[in-house]
Amino acid sequence: MAPAFHDFAHTLTSGDLPEDVLRVLRRSFTDTMGVAAVASTTQMADIARRGALALFGVGGAGGSRILMHGARVSPAGAAMAGAFTVDAVDAHDGTSPCKGHAGSAVFPALLALTDAMPEPVNGAEFATLLAIAYEVSYRAGLAQHATCADYHTSGAWTAVGVATACARGLGATPEQIRHAAGIGEYHGPRSQMMRCIDHPTMVRDGVGWGAPSGVTAAYLACEGFTGAPALTCEDAPSFWADLGTNWRLVEDTHYKPYPCCRWAHPSMDAAADLMREHALHHTDVAAVEIKTFHNATRLAGHSPATPDEFAYSIAFPVAALIVRGQVGVAELHEDTLRDPDIQRISSATTLIDDPHLTSISDGKRWAEVSLLLQDGRRVSAAPRTPGDVDMPLSANDIEAKFHLFADPVLGEPRAQELASLSGNFDHLSASEFARLRDLCLSAP
């Protein structure tokens, strides 16, 4: 019989973590910090930092440094600013069954928590907290999506995982951990994801409030505040029956090759393949047709005016890939939004709401792309869904993506040290892990 989630969180040790769990956590650490580095340069991250400095001063819990910035605020403030920072560039790890992301909330929250703790934390201890946060977040997310009418942002369910892991990190009892999860669930942001899809702004995936909600819940529970039960943890038993035996974080975690909504990725992959297979130049392309599932058609985004609108679009990222052959760091600059060649193809892109692709996109994201060429030909790619754990990015892909994002911001020596330590973090001593945390939390 599976343990109750709060007993699982209370008793889990680093020795209980299988190698495949640790492998995912290492990859996510490196990948998330690469995204955090480039995202720290965005306007969204700057606003979040200024907000944290204005509203979340250092108190009795101690000071935590803001991710990729270094200023000290409260742990909740650092979690907020850090989560908004990572979420500013939509390239962090995700989970297809939950249709969302955990790392963008989990890493800023746990780095903030451990930065404020008086006792040093080693890599194995941090790995245990990460495993708890990811696993509880994923399972709470599955339970929430199965029992709630609205499609909520990742902040709604990561608040539960962050609260559970932070309470464990603070030395809470099993009952206090249970209350922390309940407080995090109750006060977490039940924000509707499709609202941001339809109206893209900086609210993004809700983790900017989910992370501090979880941190705050843990501190409150340790002071005696009550909030149990967390319904996603205690009233949806089918999602917890194999807790501790099977790891959803291993089964479900994927990594993004492009810094935009995952729903656009199958169309981008298909367009890239068509351009390469037919040796096409962007001037050869007259128009684009994309058949995809219903929610993806709501991304639209033919003429994004802001990076937020770019992140939640399909037409424009596909056009950018056709014109530039990539959607990387350079395409994150606002001048990309004014590129006339990209604008031409984006405006000539038609999105088609396909009932069949909608019906098979439960936990997947299907799309079919055709390019209409200037010479009258039509070239098409077979329907596809982007690779998740069945077609993962390789270790070399993750490393290349990290350096693409981090090197220009941090400098190659610091980026290389960060990649080396994060890729082996669970083996680090307390002093070595403190060095890794310094690399994550200091200003570029």
Side-chain angles (χ1 to χ4, degrees):
M1 184 175 182
F5 83 96
H6 47 281
D7 291 326
F8 166 80
H10 186 256
T11 60
L12 188 72
T13 69
S14 59
D16 298 324
L17 302 180
E19 178 56 31
D20 55 356
V21 168
L22 293 169
R23 176 181 55 81
V24 171
L25 296 179
R26 293 175 197 131
R27 288 163 65 90
S28 287
F29 207 142
T30 302
D31 188 68
T32 305
M33 291 307 107
V35 176
V38 69
S40 71
T41 66
T42 64
Q43 181 188 30
M44 178 172 161
D46 182 58
I47 293 171
R49 290 190 296 258
R50 286 188 277 122
L53 288 165
L55 299 171
F56 290 91
V58 176
S64 300
R65 289 168 290 174
I66 296 175
L67 186 68
M68 296 291 169
H69 184 262
R72 287 193 180 274
V73 291
S74 72
M80 184 203 76
F84 272 128
T85 294
V86 178
D87 208 21
V89 171
D90 198 353
H92 36 80
D93 69 14
T95 161
S96 295
C98 289
K99 297 182 287 186
H101 313 269
S104 52
V106 165
F107 278 98
L110 291 180
L111 286 169
L113 176 80
T114 56
D115 201 40
M117 290 169 60
E119 297 298 322
V121 174
N122 63 35
E125 292 166 337
F126 194 77
T128 304
L129 298 180
L130 278 178
I132 293 167
Y134 265 93
E135 194 67 14
V136 172
S137 290
Y138 280 11
R139 290 174 184 268
L142 289 170
Q144 186 183 92
H145 287 319
T147 56
C148 296
D150 276 341
Y151 165 26
H152 291 100
T153 65
S154 303
W157 42 270
T158 54
V160 181
V162 167
T164 303
C166 286
R168 160 61 189 271
L170 292 171
T173 66
E175 188 65 11
Q176 287 172 326
I177 293 173
R178 179 171 173 254
H179 283 292
I183 300 164
E185 181 188 79
Y186 192 89
H187 289 143
R190 287 297 180 101
S191 38
Q192 304 94 347
M193 187 71 245
M194 294 311 297
R195 175 175 164 184
C196 189
I197 297 298
D198 292 336
H199 307 283
T201 59
M202 292 181 183
V203 295
R204 296 288 183 114
D205 197 30
V207 294
W209 212 244
S213 294
V215 172
T216 302
Y219 277 96
L220 287 172
C222 289
E223 293 294 334
F225 198 100
T226 59
L231 298 183
T232 53
C233 300
E234 300 190 39
D235 202 28
S238 62
F239 298 101
W240 301 87
D242 59 353
L243 179 64
T245 303
N246 294 322
W247 290 84
R248 297 310 304 244
L249 75 89
V250 173
E251 297 174 11
D252 298 340
T253 303
H254 67 246
Y255 301 92
K256 287 185 170 187
Y258 311 118
C260 58
C261 182
R262 189 74 164 164
W263 295 353
H265 286 210
S267 301
M268 297 170 73
D269 287 339
D273 286 350
L274 288 172
M275 294 295 291
R276 182 180 63 256
E277 290 167 3
H278 296 277
L280 299 173
H281 188 264
H282 66 83
T283 55
D284 298 322
V285 178
V288 181
E289 287 185 0
I290 300 173
K291 294 181 181 179
T292 189
F293 59 100
H294 170 72
N295 280 348
T297 64
R298 291 165 66 174
L299 289 169
H302 291 82
S303 302
T306 67
D308 306 294
E309 293 180 4
F310 175 93
Y312 290 112
S313 64
I314 289 183
F316 202 85
V318 167
L321 192 66
I322 289 171
V323 171
R324 298 195 179 181
Q326 67 172 24
V327 177
V329 174
E331 286 64 49
L332 296 175
H333 295 160
E334 290 201 26
D335 59 4
T336 301
L337 304 177
R338 298 182 291 274
D339 185 311
D341 294 321
I342 299 175
Q343 288 177 333
R344 177 186 71 82
I345 293 178
S346 182
S347 297
T349 297
T350 302
L351 298 183
I352 301 170
D353 189 334
D354 187 276
H356 173 65
L357 297 183
T358 297
S359 70
I360 63 174
S361 288
D362 184 14
K364 295 288 185 179
R365 313 161 194 80
W366 284 90
E368 179 181 348
V369 175
S370 297
L371 303 182
L372 286 66
L373 306 183
Q374 300 284 8
D375 62 9
R377 287 183 297 147
R378 179 189 186 97
V379 295
S380 301
R384 66 176 65 195
T385 187
D388 290 325
V389 292
D390 54 338
M391 294 185 289
L393 295 184
S394 69
N396 288 338
D397 291 334
I398 294 288
E399 183 177 4
K401 175 186 169 185
F402 170 83
H403 285 292
L404 179 68
F405 285 168
D407 287 10
V409 179
L410 304 180
E412 188 174 342
R414 176 174 166 183
Q416 185 57 53
E417 185 181 7
L418 176 52
S420 177
L421 291 177
S422 62
N424 192 44
F425 81 94
D426 52 299
H427 294 290
L428 301 181
S429 66
S431 61
E432 291 168 332
F433 186 78
R435 173 58 184 166
L436 172 57
R437 197 167 59 235
D438 288 344
L439 293 170
C440 297
L441 302 181
S442 300

